[in-house]
Amino acid sequence: MKNCAIVGINWGDEGKGRMVDLLTEDYDVVIRYQGGGNAGHTVVNDYGKFALHLLPSGIFHPGVVNILGNGVALDAENLWNEIETVRGKGVAVSPENLMISDRASLLLPWHRQLDALEEARLASHKYGSTKQGIAPFYSDKYQKKTVLAGELFYPEHLRAHLTELLKWKNLILTGVYGAEPCSLEQLMAWVECYGEKIKPYIRDVNSYLRSASAAGKNMLFEAQLGSLRDLDYGIYPYTTSSNALAAYAPVGSGLPNAKLDEIVGVVKAYSTCVGEGPFVCEWFSKDADLLREAGGEYGAKTGRPRRVGPLDLVATRYGVQVQGATALALTKLDVLSYMQAIPVCTQYELAGKSTDAFPFPAALEQAKPVYETLEGWGCDISGIRRWEDLPAATRRYVDFAEEYVGCPIRYVSVGPERDAIILR
Ligand code: GDP
């Protein structure tokens, strides 16, 4: 039996989806343990190109059981749309290969509504939410004001529970935001529509995982976003509202006593970030446009242009440390091929001093990047499949990053396709 988590080391969008899609072959069960429809994993394979938001990336592999654990924000409407999309491309989805924890909380329509209302209230101080309802959802979950997926099997109880929640929620909608109240009929119609669709997939995931674990099944825990967006260890308040760290995988998946044998951290060969918050290595104007175009850096969920810049090794090493990564995958190295010389950030300048320690969030706004410049390789590397065939300058770039962050780079990705990978 082997347990492995695949996590993001940076701000998200590192290419976790393609790594899970690649590594799933060795695993029997793939589990999403946090987050919701607010970020997207892009997977390119024989079925086509997909932006998965909720479905685990193992859904494309026959025989793999995919699980949405209790830690996810269960957006039944988006999940159903995603199921329909992948089915439309010939992927089989059934209760045999998709299971939803009965302890996952339901993201309700008012969460999306409140997300948009709060971002509008914040105006120029907004967090840059994707407006998928994630922050209102998790605050409600921790206030014990959502319903669990398993409550769909107790209709009378569910109706009474929602009636109580509705009274409280309408006070907020109308009193705080001056919005229209929600009616019980509207809410029940939504719950009956999407609740019925996902019901066949809902089960006691904890007991399933316990027996899968006892049977020696290999499990892959798939995270969303990255270290710097983790609620507790990221760039608060510009974080997400859940824990994107590997440490949360056992709790959020449904197997709280799971031990992780391996933690594969995914690092992008340069920096990107969606939304607001301090982003020390940000490039602007022409340099940024060139890198954004070369990497196709537009949000998988929103289509928003991503903020881009050189590889930030200060943030990356911190990301590796908080994840406890045992190996790294460096993705999108092919994107840098157009550069003659490649800057990488090895220090921050803060209050007149240089530091290689990642600062407290409030100090991050003042940090300025200090770059070292590495030689570019100036040729297309996307067709290369062996480490020794890479240009010497490319290998030096990878070695430099590896030595700085102190964790082996086991995979080097040179294209979005499943086989565009170099194993070291
Ligand atoms: P995730 O949320 O971490 O899975 O990342 P995204 O899906 O948002 O971003 C990764 C994007 O880069 C997707 O469009 C992938 O198909 C693409 N991608 C992943 N690895 C590589 C790579 O090595 N080279 C190139 N050119 N594209 C890649």
Side-chain angles (χ1 to χ4, degrees):
M1 185 183 125
K2 177 166 73 162
N3 288 338
C4 172
I6 298 196
V7 294
I9 295 296
N10 308 117
W11 297 265
D13 309 316
E14 298 93 346
K16 293 176 295 295
R18 71 96 68 236
M19 288 310 299
V20 181
D21 186 57
L22 175 81
L23 298 180
T24 302
E25 279 175 10
D26 300 334
Y27 293 86
D28 307 299
V29 186
V30 179
I31 311 156
R32 278 281 312 270
Y33 61 88
Q34 47 81 227
N38 51 330
H41 293 313
T42 311
V43 176
V44 183
N45 57 29
D46 295 345
Y47 293 104
K49 181 173 178 178
F50 300 89
L52 298 182
H53 303 290
L54 282 147
L55 281 174
S57 308
I59 200 73
F60 302 107
H61 288 259
V64 169
V65 173
N66 294 274
I67 290 183
L68 293 174
N70 50 280
V72 303
L74 183 57
D75 179 340
E77 186 172 341
N78 271 336
L79 175 63
W80 185 251
N81 291 337
E82 238 175 271
I83 291 174
E84 293 282 69
T85 304
V86 301
R87 269 195 187 139
K89 297 276 180 74
V91 180
V93 183
S94 74
E96 296 297 305
N97 72 341
L98 178 68
M99 300 177 187
I100 300 171
S101 169
D102 56 359
R103 286 179 173 271
S105 299
L106 285 182
L107 186 140
L108 296 165
W110 57 50
H111 292 128
R112 246 190 290 276
Q113 190 185 355
L114 283 164
D115 206 348
L117 288 166
E118 178 59 10
E119 284 285 276
R121 188 194 69 80
L122 285 165
S124 64
H125 299 289
K126 67 183 194 288
Y127 296 131
S129 164
T130 55
K131 303 196 184 83
Q132 294 300 309
I134 302 300
F137 165 83
Y138 279 108
S139 15
D140 281 4
K141 173 173 170 171
Y142 286 96
Q143 283 196 80
K144 300 162 289 173
K145 299 236 190 256
T146 55
V147 293
L148 302 181
E151 291 181 53
L152 290 166
F153 294 104
Y154 303 89
E156 280 177 30
H157 161 94
L158 177 66
R159 191 180 176 89
H161 193 177
L162 284 171
T163 306
E164 279 311 303
L165 290 181
L166 185 67
K167 284 187 210 157
W168 170 75
K169 201 47 100 180
N170 276 341
L171 288 175
I172 298 170
L173 282 169
T174 58
V176 176
Y177 294 104
E180 289 295 311
C182 178
S183 74
L184 186 62
E185 289 66 37
Q186 282 171 324
L187 186 59
M188 290 313 295
W190 187 91
V191 168
E192 274 157 23
C193 171
Y194 292 103
E196 283 309 309
K197 292 188 194 304
I198 64 164
K199 233 165 135 177
Y201 303 88
I202 298 170
R203 56 179 288 170
D204 178 354
V205 157
N206 176 233
S207 91
Y208 172 80
L209 286 176
R210 253 184 287 125
S211 39
S213 174
K217 302 277 186 200
N218 295 330
M219 301 194 194
L220 192 61
F221 299 84
E222 180 182 10
Q224 181 213 39
L225 295 166
S227 308
L228 301 164
R229 298 292 189 196
D230 179 83
L231 179 62
D232 288 82
Y233 291 86
I235 53 170
Y236 191 87
Y238 300 102
T239 58
T240 193
S241 302
S242 65
N243 289 105
L245 295 190
Y248 186 70
V251 172
S253 63
L255 193 62
N257 59 334
K259 305 267 182 302
L260 297 178
D261 304 300
E262 205 164 5
I263 299 170
V264 176
V266 186
V267 178
K268 199 181 273 188
Y270 50 95
S271 301
T272 66
C273 156
V274 182
E276 310 299 317
F279 185 47
V280 177
C281 293
E282 184 162 14
W283 267 352
F284 298 94
S285 65
K286 193 161 161 270
D287 286 340
D289 293 343
L290 281 173
L291 183 52
R292 185 177 303 112
E293 284 310 311
E297 296 297 347
Y298 297 90
K301 181 79 201 177
T302 57
R304 287 189 285 190
R306 291 179 182 148
R307 299 159 76 190
V308 297
L311 179 61
D312 182 342
L313 287 172
V314 177
T316 300
R317 180 166 58 196
Y318 173 76
V320 168
Q321 288 165 345
V322 293
Q323 291 286 13
T326 56
L328 298 177
L330 187 69
T331 60
K332 302 194 95 165
L333 194 57
D334 54 305
V335 171
L336 299 181
S337 297
Y338 75 93
M339 290 189 193
Q340 297 301 316
I342 312 178
V344 292
C345 173
T346 52
Q347 304 263 321
Y348 288 171
E349 208 177 275
L350 202 57
K353 292 199 183 112
S354 284
T355 178
D356 61 4
F358 192 69
F360 182 75
L364 203 53
E365 305 271 4
Q366 311 305 323
K368 299 272 175 296
V370 179
Y371 292 114
E372 283 186 42
T373 304
L374 305 182
E375 189 192 341
W377 44 92
C379 63
D380 179 13
I381 57 168
S382 61
I384 296 176
R385 297 289 176 267
R386 294 191 318 173
W387 173 248
E388 52 276 23
D389 294 341
L390 282 170
T394 318
R395 283 184 273 137
R396 273 198 296 277
Y397 188 84
V398 178
D399 287 339
F400 187 90
E402 177 177 83
E403 192 171 326
Y404 188 101
V405 302
C407 182
I409 296 177
R410 188 187 300 158
Y411 309 92
V412 176
S413 172
V414 292
E417 304 81 18
R418 201 179 266 176
D419 74 329
I421 197 94
I422 296 167
L423 252 167
R424 287 175 83 212

